[in-house]
Amino acid sequence: MAAFIQKLFKSRKAGSAPTNKGSAPARAATVTPEPPQTPERERQAALLQGKLELAQLEQLAVEGATAAIRLTAAERVECIDALQRIERATKSRDKGVYQHVRKRLQAHKTAQTESIQRQQTITNLLQQAQDHAQTENTNLYEARLETILNQWQAIQVEADTDQTTLFLTAINSCKQRVAAFKAQAQAEEALRQKAAERQATLALLADTLADLQQPSADRCLSLPALDALQKTQENRWLEATRDADVDKQEQKQYLQQMQSLRNLIGAVQRFDQARGELEGLLAADEPADLSALRRLTQAIEWPGAFPPPEALMAARSKLGSARQEKPATATDQSALLNALSATLDKLEQALEQKALKPSRQLHKTAQQRMQQLAKPQAQKLQARMQLLGRQLQELQDWQGFATRPKQEALCEAMEYLAEQHMEPEAKAERIQELQQDWRALGGSTDQELWQRFKAASDRAFEPCKAYFAARADLKKANLHKREAICRELDAFLPALQGANMDWKAVEKILRTARQEWKQAWPVDFKDNREVQKQFDQLTANVESALLNEQQRNEALKAEIVSQAEALISHDPLPEAMNRAKQLQKQWQSVGITRHREDRRLWTAFRKACDTLFARRDEEKSAEQAEFKALENKVQGLVGASIAARKDDQEATALAEHKNELTSLLQQALPQALRKQVEQELAALNENLQTQATRQQLADWLAHAQRRSQGPLAVETLPNHWQHLQLPGAEHADFRDLVVRAEIISGQPSPAEDQERRMAIQVQRLAAGMGGNTLPPRQELEALVAHWCLSTAETAPTPELAERFCSALSG
C-alpha cells in the first residue's frame, strides 16, 4: 500500500512539473500515454486474433507495437526454448514481458524439478515393491506392504503405464505371499488343533478301555452308548487326520484301541442276541444242553481283555465243571491234541498270508478243540494258542481299521456322486471305479454298510440308464450307416476297371468313406466285427487299384526324370530348354502317385531342371560378360574418337580412329552398338571432309597469294588444274575472276564492278539454263586454277588479290 501511494504522488508530481528528458527518474515516473491507433498496430492486433506460428508469436512478443500486444503474444508462447529467447531479447527492453516470461520459466523449472523428484520417488517405490516381493525377511511383512501402498497412492497418477504395470505386478506378488503366509499360519494352526484332537481321542479311548477292562459288579454294558462312542470317535479321528501327517505309532495306537472297542461292541451285540437262550441253558442240567451252551459261548467270542457278563461267566464255569466230571479217554485226547496242533499250523500259515477270513475260521476251530481237551493236555498248546490269538487280534485290528473307514468313505463318495449332475459316461465310469475299490477291499461283513453302498450305487446310476439306452440306439444307427458305406463301396468296385477312370475322384471317395466310417461311432463291438472285416476288404481292393495306377504314373514320371537328366549335357542349349519346358507340361499331365515317391521323383526332376537352367544362366552370364566387354570396347573407341574430334586433331589421328571403328563394323555387333559406331563414323567422315576442305582452301589461298607476286611455274601447281574448264570465262581477266568468286561466295562487289557483276550473273544464268554449269566448289577451284595459271605478264593488283582471297575465305 505504501509503495502504491508513493507511486501515485510521484506520478502527480511528475505530471505538474516540466518534463526533463535528461532525468531518468522523471522518465520512469511519467505515465506513458496510450499510443494512437496505427495500421501496424491494428495489423498486429488482428494477427493475435487468429492462429499464429511460433516464430510469429515470438516476433510479436519482442517487437510488438504495444506492451499489450507483446504481453499477449508472450502469454500464447508455450515452447520453453522460445520463452528463453524472449527472455534474453526483452531483458533490457520490456520489463513487463520479461517478468512474465521469467515467472513462467521459473514455474516450468520448479515443475520439472518436482516431476523429477516424483519420478525418483516412483522409481524408489517400484524398487522397494520388487525387493519386498523377493525378500526373505517376513517380519512385519504385511505392515511394510501397507506402507508402500500408502506412499504409492499419493504419486500413482504420475506413473506411466510401464511403471504402473511393474508396480502392480510386484504388489500382486507381495499379496500372494501375504496370502500364502496367512494360509500357512492357518494350516499350521489347523494342524495343531488336529494334533490336539487326536491326542484327546486317544486319551478318551484309552481311559474308556481301561475303565471297561476293570471288573465291576454293577456295570451294565450299554450297546447304544458303546456304538455312539465308536462313531463319534471315528468321525473325530477322521477329521483330525484329514490332510495331516499322522505318526505311525499314533496311528497304530488308535487302530489297536478302536479295534478293541469294535471287538467289544461286536461281542456285546452277540451276547444280547444269545442272552435269552444262554440263560435258559444255564437253568438246565442235561448233557445235551452243555453242547448247546458250548456253541453259544464260542459264537459270542467275548474278548479276553474285558470281564465277561455274569451269564457268560456262569456258562464258562459250567462247561469247565462238565469237562472235569467227564474227562475224555487218552486216545481221544491224543487225537484232539494232534488235530489242534494241525489246526494251529494252518492258522499260522493263514496269518502269515494276511488272510483274515480263513484265520478267523481256523481260530474258531482251534478254540473248540482246545475246550474239548483236558486241562493238562490243553496246557501243552496254551502258549502257542495265545500267541496266535494275539496275532489274529492284531490282524483284525489293522484290517478292520483300514477297511471300514475306507468302506464308509466309499459309501459317502457314492452318495455324493448320486447327488451330482455329471456327464453320464463320466458318472458311470466313476461308479465303476468306486465299485472296483469296494471289491478291492474284500467286501464287508457288515450287511448294513453293504446295503448302504449298493443303494447309493443304484441311485447314482439311475440317471445314466436313459443315456445308455439312447447310446445303444445310436450304436445301432451307426452300424446301419457303416453297412450302407460297405454296400456303396461294393457297388463302386466294378467301375474301377474302366479305362477313363478319374483316379483323383477315387482317392477322394476312399477318404470320404473312411471319414464317414469314423464318424459313424460308437458302435457295438460284437456287431461291428463282420462289418469291419467287410469294410477293410473293400478298402483294400480300392487301395490295390489305386496302387496299380500310382505305380504306372510313377513309371511315367521316372521316364520324364531320365529325359530331363539327359538334357543337362544336350546341345544346342535352346533346344534343351524347349524340351525341358515340354517335359514340365508332361509332368503336370501325369495322374496320381504316392506322396513319398512323388516327392522323390519331383526332387530328381527339379534337380535336373535346375542344373539345366543353371547352365543356361552360366552361358547367359558369359554372353552378358562378352557383351559388356564389347560394349566397353565400343564405348572406349567411340569416346576416344569423339574426344579427338572435339580436340580438332589432325587428319592422320582421325583416320586411325576411323580405321578402328571400321574394323568394329566387321564384327557381329548388337544393333544399338552398331548404330552408335556408324554415327561416329559419319561424324568422323564429316570432320575429315571438313579438314580436307579447309586444307584444300588453305592450299588455294597459298597459290593465289603467290600468283599475286608473279607468274607461277606449272609444275608447282596441281596437275589437274590444267584441265579444269570454266564455262563462259575461258578468257576472263583477274577482275572477272574476282567478281565471279564474290558471286559464288555471296560477298558484295565494289560499286565500280556492279555492272560487270550484273553481266557475269546474266552470263551464269544463261549457262545454267543451258545446263553448262559447275558445282560451286568445283567452279571455285576452277577460278583459282585460272587465277594461278593466268599467262598475264603483270600480277593482279593488291586490291584484286585481297578481294579474291577474301572471297575464297568467305
Side-chain angles (χ1 to χ4, degrees), residues 674-688:
R674 177 173 292 277
K675 184 177 180 181
Q676 188 176 1
V677 173
E678 289 175 348
Q679 289 177 349
E680 181 57 26
L681 275 175
L684 270 178
N685 288 329
E686 183 180 355
N687 200 304
L688 287 170

Side-chain angles (χ1 to χ4, degrees), residues 67-128:
I69 292 175
R70 293 193 296 273
L71 185 60
T72 303
E75 289 175 349
R76 291 178 59 180
V77 174
E78 299 294 338
C79 178
I80 300 301
D81 293 338
L83 287 174
Q84 290 175 349
R85 290 193 294 270
I86 293 172
E87 181 189 23
R88 289 192 297 269
T90 60
K91 184 173 182 181
S92 58
R93 296 175 58 183
D94 192 332
K95 186 176 181 180
V97 174
Y98 173 76
Q99 289 180 350
H100 170 76
V101 172
R102 183 175 180 81
K103 287 180 181 179
R104 289 183 63 187
L105 290 173
Q106 288 177 348
H108 172 74
K109 185 176 181 181
T110 303
Q112 192 174 23
T113 303
E114 292 176 354
S115 177
I116 293 173
Q117 292 175 351
R118 287 192 295 269
Q119 286 298 321
Q120 185 62 39
T121 302
I122 291 172
T123 303
N124 294 337
L125 284 177
L126 180 58
Q127 186 62 43
Q128 291 178 19

Side-chain angles (χ1 to χ4, degrees), residues 410-419 431 450-462:
L410 289 175
C411 290
E412 293 174 359
M414 188 66 78
E415 291 168 350
Y416 175 79
L417 184 63
E419 303 298 329
I431 292 172
W450 161 245
Q451 291 300 328
R452 176 187 172 188
F453 181 76
K454 186 175 184 304
S457 299
D458 294 340
R459 288 197 310 273
F461 188 73
E462 188 64 30

Side-chain angles (χ1 to χ4, degrees), residues 5-20 23 25-27 29-31:
I5 294 173
Q6 183 179 5
K7 182 177 181 182
L8 179 60
F9 279 103
K10 284 183 178 180
S11 299
R12 289 180 178 178
K13 183 177 180 181
S16 60
T19 302
N20 185 2
S23 175
R27 287 200 307 272
T30 301
V31 178

Side-chain angles (χ1 to χ4, degrees), residues 42-226:
E42 293 177 357
R43 186 185 68 82
Q44 292 179 358
L47 283 175
L48 285 175
Q49 299 301 320
K51 185 177 180 181
L52 298 177
E53 299 292 336
L54 178 61
Q56 293 174 318
L57 288 173
E58 187 175 349
Q59 183 178 6
L60 287 174
V62 177
E63 301 175 357
T66 65
I69 292 175
R70 293 193 296 273
L71 185 60
T72 303
E75 289 175 349
R76 291 178 59 180
V77 174
E78 299 294 338
C79 178
I80 300 301
D81 293 338
L83 287 174
Q84 290 175 349
R85 290 193 294 270
I86 293 172
E87 181 189 23
R88 289 192 297 269
T90 60
K91 184 173 182 181
S92 58
R93 296 175 58 183
D94 192 332
K95 186 176 181 180
V97 174
Y98 173 76
Q99 289 180 350
H100 170 76
V101 172
R102 183 175 180 81
K103 287 180 181 179
R104 289 183 63 187
L105 290 173
Q106 288 177 348
H108 172 74
K109 185 176 181 181
T110 303
Q112 192 174 23
T113 303
E114 292 176 354
S115 177
I116 293 173
Q117 292 175 351
R118 287 192 295 269
Q119 286 298 321
Q120 185 62 39
T121 302
I122 291 172
T123 303
N124 294 337
L125 284 177
L126 180 58
Q127 186 62 43
Q128 291 178 19
Q130 292 174 343
D131 294 342
H132 197 61
Q134 299 176 358
T135 182
E136 298 296 332
N137 182 14
T138 59
N139 188 23
L140 299 175
Y141 189 87
E142 189 171 3
R144 284 185 285 160
L145 177 60
E146 289 297 329
T147 300
I148 294 174
L149 285 173
N150 292 335
Q151 294 176 0
W152 178 263
Q153 292 294 332
I155 50 89
Q156 63 178 350
V157 294
E158 300 291 336
D160 57 25
T161 304
D162 294 338
Q163 291 172 334
T164 302
T165 301
L166 291 175
F167 181 81
L168 293 179
T169 301
I171 291 301
N172 185 47
S173 299
C174 294
K175 289 182 178 180
Q176 290 178 357
R177 293 190 69 186
V178 169
F181 292 154
K182 290 182 178 180
Q184 183 179 1
Q186 292 174 357
E188 292 175 354
E189 180 62 25
L191 290 177
R192 284 194 294 271
Q193 293 179 358
K194 289 180 179 180
E197 285 292 319
R198 292 196 300 272
Q199 292 299 323
T201 301
L202 293 176
L204 178 60
L205 288 175
D207 293 343
T208 302
L209 292 174
D211 182 62
L212 291 174
Q213 289 172 0
Q214 296 298 324
S216 177
D218 57 351
R219 176 183 291 121
C220 180
L221 295 177
S222 173
L223 184 61
L226 292 174

